[in-house]
Amino acid sequence: MNSAETEGVDFRSSVELILAGDPDGLFNAANDLRLISQSEAIEVLYRLAIEQGVNEAYLNYGVFLRDINRPKEALVQFEKAHAVGDPKAAFALGETNWEMERHAEAIKWLRLAGSNAAIPLRLARSYRALGDEESAVKVLREGSETSAEAAVEYIDTTDDLDPESAINLLEKHLQNGEVDVLIPLADLYSKAGNPDKEIELLRRSVAEGEPNALHNLGLALWQSGQTREGRALLKKAAQQGDKLSPKVLHNLRGKQRHIRLK
């Protein structure tokens, strides 16, 4: 499609004909949709929905704008959504400001966003970005029981929990179906000297399709003495684009040669 092909397209007018009850609008809209992009059509429809008084459209339009990398415009729509009472708008404002590294604004909106498992981690990272470690740790501590990602961050960035307490916390989240804790929980078992449990969890993580799980499982198997399977999985991870696996394989081959030379 080039600019000459789309110059005469007025999808908005076609939709307005439909709204007015003119069936020619259907014909025109069908022709327009063959020439314009999906994004162009979506934006026209969200704008018309807003003009027609559909208040829910503000939030959805904002999410759409954020998804196509227009976050400043998205914020405008989220603010309008908040003004008309959309309960999801505060979190959208907080998350978008957080993504834009506007941390003071992120904190302001996230604190107004009510209950959402995604809030503690974002709020804590914004506090840390502003140098407020005490508030960050408090948020993570309070959120660690209900938010799996906050629990992982709490364990990774503080020394508040002993190894057993940290394992118990992540086990609770795993029992609630939070498979994202599989790799960090496996790491805790590794540090606690329980490689069998580590490997069991990493196998589950691979089955769940978790990123980096194949590399981690291959390395854990190698370190536990199951070198053939470990090497095979590291090779597979490398073939699938894992950036760490080729280096690990190179280092492991060097160790093998060293062992043979003794």
Side-chain angles (χ1 to χ4, degrees), residues 10-22 24-26 28-30 32-33 36 41 44-45 48-49 52:
D10 189 353
F11 180 60
R12 178 189 175 95
S13 294
S14 300
V15 177
E16 287 174 337
L17 282 178
I18 296 171
L19 292 173
D22 187 338
D24 282 347
L26 296 169
N28 294 344
D32 294 341
L33 288 171
I36 65 174
V44 167
L45 292 173
L48 283 169
Q52 293 292 317

Side-chain angles (χ1 to χ4, degrees), residues 96-191:
T96 305
N97 276 294
W98 175 69
E99 290 172 350
M100 295 171 69
E101 299 184 354
R102 298 171 54 174
H103 294 294
E105 280 294 298
I107 290 169
K108 167 189 166 182
W109 289 110
L110 289 171
R111 287 176 63 87
L112 294 173
S115 178
N116 186 316
I119 290 173
L121 176 66
R122 289 152 179 76
L123 191 54
R125 288 184 177 176
S126 282
Y127 276 126
R128 281 192 169 129
L130 297 178
D132 189 348
E133 180 67 15
E134 183 178 350
S135 293
V137 173
K138 180 182 178 183
V139 166
L140 291 172
R141 183 186 304 116
E142 293 173 349
S144 63
E145 291 292 333
T146 55
S147 168
E149 62 181 11
V152 172
E153 184 93 347
Y154 184 42
I155 292 166
D156 285 348
T157 61
T158 76
D159 297 321
D160 286 7
L161 299 180
D162 59 67
E164 183 178 358
S165 298
I167 287 172
N168 289 339
L169 177 59
L170 294 193
E171 283 282 8
K172 289 179 183 177
H173 285 293
L174 183 58
Q175 290 168 10
N176 290 330
E178 298 287 352
V179 295
D180 287 348
V181 306
L182 281 167
I183 289 179
L185 183 55
D187 185 56
L188 289 175
Y189 275 112
S190 175
K191 291 175 181 176

Side-chain angles (χ1 to χ4, degrees), residues 39-259:
S39 292
E40 289 172 310
I42 289 171
E43 187 158 10
V44 167
L45 292 173
Y46 274 136
R47 286 183 174 276
L48 283 169
I50 289 168
E51 290 171 18
Q52 293 292 317
V54 182
N55 286 339
E56 294 90 341
Y58 288 117
L59 184 77
N60 290 58
Y61 184 30
V63 172
F64 165 75
L65 290 169
R66 186 175 63 188
D67 288 346
I68 62 171
N69 199 30
R70 290 161 60 183
K72 291 182 179 179
E73 294 172 75
L75 287 174
V76 173
Q77 300 306 317
F78 292 147
E79 287 169 359
K80 291 178 180 178
H82 185 264
V84 298
D86 193 312
K88 297 179 181 178
F91 177 71
L93 282 161
E95 184 175 45
T96 305
N97 276 294
W98 175 69
E99 290 172 350
M100 295 171 69
E101 299 184 354
R102 298 171 54 174
H103 294 294
E105 280 294 298
I107 290 169
K108 167 189 166 182
W109 289 110
L110 289 171
R111 287 176 63 87
L112 294 173
S115 178
N116 186 316
I119 290 173
L121 176 66
R122 289 152 179 76
L123 191 54
R125 288 184 177 176
S126 282
Y127 276 126
R128 281 192 169 129
L130 297 178
D132 189 348
E133 180 67 15
E134 183 178 350
S135 293
V137 173
K138 180 182 178 183
V139 166
L140 291 172
R141 183 186 304 116
E142 293 173 349
S144 63
E145 291 292 333
T146 55
S147 168
E149 62 181 11
V152 172
E153 184 93 347
Y154 184 42
I155 292 166
D156 285 348
T157 61
T158 76
D159 297 321
D160 286 7
L161 299 180
D162 59 67
E164 183 178 358
S165 298
I167 287 172
N168 289 339
L169 177 59
L170 294 193
E171 283 282 8
K172 289 179 183 177
H173 285 293
L174 183 58
Q175 290 168 10
N176 290 330
E178 298 287 352
V179 295
D180 287 348
V181 306
L182 281 167
I183 289 179
L185 183 55
D187 185 56
L188 289 175
Y189 275 112
S190 175
K191 291 175 181 176
N194 191 341
D196 291 341
K197 187 66 176 179
E198 175 194 11
I199 289 170
E200 175 194 330
L201 292 170
L202 288 174
R203 289 193 189 280
R204 286 182 61 184
S205 187
V206 169
E208 293 287 345
E210 291 295 297
N212 305 318
L214 199 60
H215 169 87
N216 289 3
L217 176 58
L219 186 57
L221 286 166
W222 179 283
Q223 291 172 337
S224 70
Q226 302 176 61
T227 55
R228 179 174 295 180
E229 184 182 5
R231 182 169 55 250
L233 292 181
L234 286 168
K235 286 182 179 178
K236 185 176 180 181
Q239 291 167 356
Q240 292 179 359
D242 187 280
K243 295 180 180 179
L244 290 176
S245 295
K247 183 177 180 180
V248 170
L249 282 166
H250 176 76
N251 291 339
L252 292 178
R253 281 194 293 268
K255 288 182 180 179
Q256 275 191 320
R257 286 195 295 270
H258 180 67
I259 290 169

